[in-house]
Amino acid sequence: MELKSNAPLIDAQHPIATAWERHRFNMKLVNPANKRKYSVIVVGTGLAGASAAATLAELGYNIKAFCFQDSPRRAHSIAAQGGINAAKDYPGDGDSVFRLFYDTVKGGDYRSREANVYRLAQLSLNIIDQAVGQGVPLAREYGGLLSNRSFGGAQVSRTFYARGQTGQQLLLGAYQALARQIEANKVEMHVRTEMMDLIVIDGRARGIVSRNLVTGALEAHIADAVVLASGGYGNVYFLSTNAMASNGSAAWRAYRRGALFANPCYTQIHPTCIPVHGEHQSKLTLMSESLRNDGRVWVPKKAEDCGKNPNTIPEEDRDYYLERKYPSFGNLVPRDVASRNAKMVCDEGRGVGATKLGVYLDFSDAINRLGKHVVEERYGNLFEMYERITDEDPYKTPMRIFPAVHYTMGGLWVDYNLQSNIPGLFVLGEANFSDHGANRLGASALMQGLADGYFVIPYTLGHYLATATVDKALPKIAEDHEAVVATLDEVKARVDQLMSIGGSRTPDSFHKELGKIMWEHVGMGRTEAGLKTALELIPKLRAEFYKDLKVVGAAESLNITLEKAARVADFLELAELMARDALNRAESCGGHFREESQTEEGEAKRDDEQFSYVAAWAFKGADEAPELHKEALTFDHVKLTQRSYK
């Protein structure tokens, strides 16, 4: 089946610049007095979820919001450090909405939907105004004007920032708006509560089954629509820059209920992570991409110098390989390009550090040029974090960094309205696939999450509710409805199954083994043979999981081991879909690098004739292969070319 987005007509008479405005006008509205008649569930309270819940409640809808943390302020959005993109062109260096649109499509290696990306670039302007209005303390120049800095994949300074705490500050802005609606009784907040399944009735999303993580109680929650803003699935690799509790279970449960999962193989490897330091490590720490503004990336030219103190290696013996290979962009090439090049020099035997899996990020030039106080003003909290973790002073010794799993561009398939193929199920932020193609540009995650939550979903959700009401498709659902009871029973059976296995291995042991399989065979470099190996190993590991898993404690109580077991069970299924999608896509693009498909210079080589489409997979049953659906991608405004950052 070929999928089609419901993006508005775009041609000579209907330019892309007016598409969103035309689409909004043509959508049906809900009368302000009628909004209070509708209830909406929002799963996840990061930037996308918190902004959506706050905005929808402000409009008058009745909202139930869910997060598994103890507070919405604990969402993983706080970990975003470097900034948020917007095409305001305050520096006057040539930026525009179209340039941000162009950079995003190109940065995603021409695997994103043009209409969605253009809308995102347009809405970026509103996001900064919204944040300033909320009092978010974005950095300012001496005269009081908002400051900008550069990020990878762009030749202009368009990234607004709050030192190295941009995500946290933006989330606090959204959280205070959410807290206001909680106080006004328009948002019913459920903390320490995890979505376990999606309730689908007559083909429409009508609620969720949740588990109270303190008491273990399973509950059904009914609504007129469900908004998923539950983040990405990078923790399928075990070691990643994500919070350890981050997981893909909410999206995966929706997939098993019929929602299409799009481009699962598109995973982003971030080039600026503190390297792994031991076998028992359970999390990786990201150093902001903003550091590449002033830090220079290099390795020794000679392998025998890699064990030396970097300060003793003379300039002529250093290889600033990004500056050498990409003179136009230098250290600010996109993340996928920087990551692959770091892997290449380490594969050549020129990696640094105890594991030889690292490259230097050196600030000595910036400190000499600007002074230590300026560097400290820009990145002080990041330098402090690095020193606490490594016990090395980055003001005196270059940082050591290495690529790590960071972000997932794949996610549930959505149309232009951010609605999945299940009517009434909307998906926002990293949980959907829509805007970043095969590689996300730095500082664009915060942009997408807030655009979706503040400025897209209020219109598109209203249109759905208005049209569904006209069609009499949203009858009142009782909690004893057979579909509700059946979903609750299925969740209870799944919990009981995990509790009853009685094996000898912890969920973490399975997760760690899965992560090694994924990093080795579905990581930075993928081959046909490696992917086929993964597709043999993952089902075997899953079978072992259901034979030898050990979950201690009781289901009807606080049970962290049970939480992890349920999430690892989903990761074991998701991992297989990722490997299958990567095997099917016999090309290289962005974060998906097939070693059989590369240029002579080692760059990603696309196959536009065969693979210029969104791969959306449909669940067909636990023992059946998923079905592939394709949404053709067209490029009328950005010419398809081999990416070059030289």
Side-chain angles (χ1 to χ4, degrees), residues 123-140:
L123 293 177
S124 71
L125 307 177
N126 300 347
I127 295 169
I128 303 305
D129 296 338
Q130 172 89 2
V132 171
Q134 290 175 327
V136 175
L138 296 173
R140 294 179 181 270

Side-chain angles (χ1 to χ4, degrees), residues 47 80-88 95 100 120 123-131 136 138-139 147-149 151 157-163 165-167 169-171 290 440-451 454-455:
L47 283 176
Q81 299 163 334
I84 177 170
N85 286 331
K88 290 254 184 205
D95 202 9
L100 175 53
L120 177 63
L123 293 177
S124 71
L125 307 177
N126 300 347
I127 295 169
I128 303 305
D129 296 338
Q130 172 89 2
V136 175
L138 296 173
S147 180
N148 289 105
R149 59 189 179 198
F151 255 62
S157 294
R158 64 162 66 102
T159 304
F160 295 78
Y161 62 98
R163 216 177 178 196
Q165 308 170 347
T166 314
Q169 298 302 329
L170 288 169
L171 184 62
S290 63
R440 176 175 67 77
L441 292 184
S444 287
L446 307 185
M447 176 175 64
Q448 184 209 352
L450 292 179
Y454 282 137
F455 301 113

Side-chain angles (χ1 to χ4, degrees), residues 217-457:
L218 298 177
E219 297 179 340
H221 301 270
I222 309 301
D224 297 303
V226 176
V227 175
L228 283 189
S230 51
Y233 49 91
N235 271 356
V236 69
Y237 290 86
F238 186 71
L239 284 178
S240 83
T241 66
N242 290 265
M244 288 182 64
S246 296
N247 63 86
S249 287
W252 191 250
R253 291 291 118 196
Y255 165 74
R256 288 180 62 95
R257 290 292 174 189
L260 298 176
F261 209 113
N263 300 334
C265 76
Y266 288 165
T267 53
Q268 180 169 85
I269 313 295
H270 198 294
T272 318
C273 179
I274 298 177
V276 177
H277 61 73
E279 266 295 307
H280 300 291
Q281 190 169 347
S282 55
K283 165 131 179 37
L284 296 175
T285 303
L286 178 71
M287 300 308 297
S288 170
E289 182 173 307
S290 63
L291 295 171
R292 290 199 277 151
N293 272 284
D294 291 309
R296 301 180 69 191
V297 179
W298 65 276
V299 291
K301 290 181 178 179
K302 297 176 289 188
E304 55 266 30
D305 288 343
C306 292
K308 295 181 178 179
N309 182 331
N311 293 326
T312 66
I313 300 175
E315 192 75 11
E316 61 270 19
D317 290 335
R318 301 180 178 190
D319 181 11
Y320 295 92
Y321 56 91
L322 292 179
E323 297 174 34
R324 170 173 56 82
K325 294 178 69 173
Y326 309 99
S328 293
F329 283 75
N331 296 300
L332 288 173
V333 293
R335 291 173 175 177
D336 61 320
V337 177
S339 294
R340 277 199 301 276
N341 277 273
K343 180 180 185 295
M344 287 168 62
V345 295
C346 290
D347 288 346
E348 293 169 2
R350 295 192 288 145
V352 301
T355 63
K356 303 300 181 184
L357 294 177
V359 300
Y360 289 125
L361 182 61
D362 193 339
F363 286 85
S364 56
D365 282 359
I367 291 171
N368 291 335
R369 184 179 73 253
L370 303 170
K372 179 182 176 181
H373 68 286
V374 174
V375 173
E376 191 171 13
E377 285 176 0
R378 293 177 180 176
Y379 313 111
N381 62 309
L382 298 172
F383 278 46
E384 180 183 347
M385 181 172 69
Y386 180 88
E387 185 171 6
R388 285 183 176 181
I389 292 172
T390 66
D391 197 29
E392 297 175 3
D393 185 351
Y395 293 106
K396 299 178 180 177
T397 303
M399 289 182 180
R400 287 176 292 107
I401 57 170
F402 192 68
V405 173
H406 177 60
Y407 188 90
T408 49
M409 285 74 66
L412 294 183
W413 183 89
V414 292
D415 61 16
Y416 190 64
N417 287 348
L418 304 184
Q419 183 173 221
S420 74
N421 57 298
I422 299 177
L425 176 64
F426 294 81
V427 191
L428 313 186
E430 191 178 357
N432 74 32
F433 87 101
S434 65
D435 291 6
H436 305 298
N439 174 63
R440 176 175 67 77
L441 292 184
S444 287
L446 307 185
M447 176 175 64
Q448 184 209 352
L450 292 179
D452 289 355
Y454 282 137
F455 301 113
V456 178
I457 194 64

Side-chain angles (χ1 to χ4, degrees), residues 86-99:
K88 290 254 184 205
D89 195 29
Y90 285 169
D93 57 358
D95 202 9
S96 65
V97 167
F98 191 89
R99 186 175 292 278

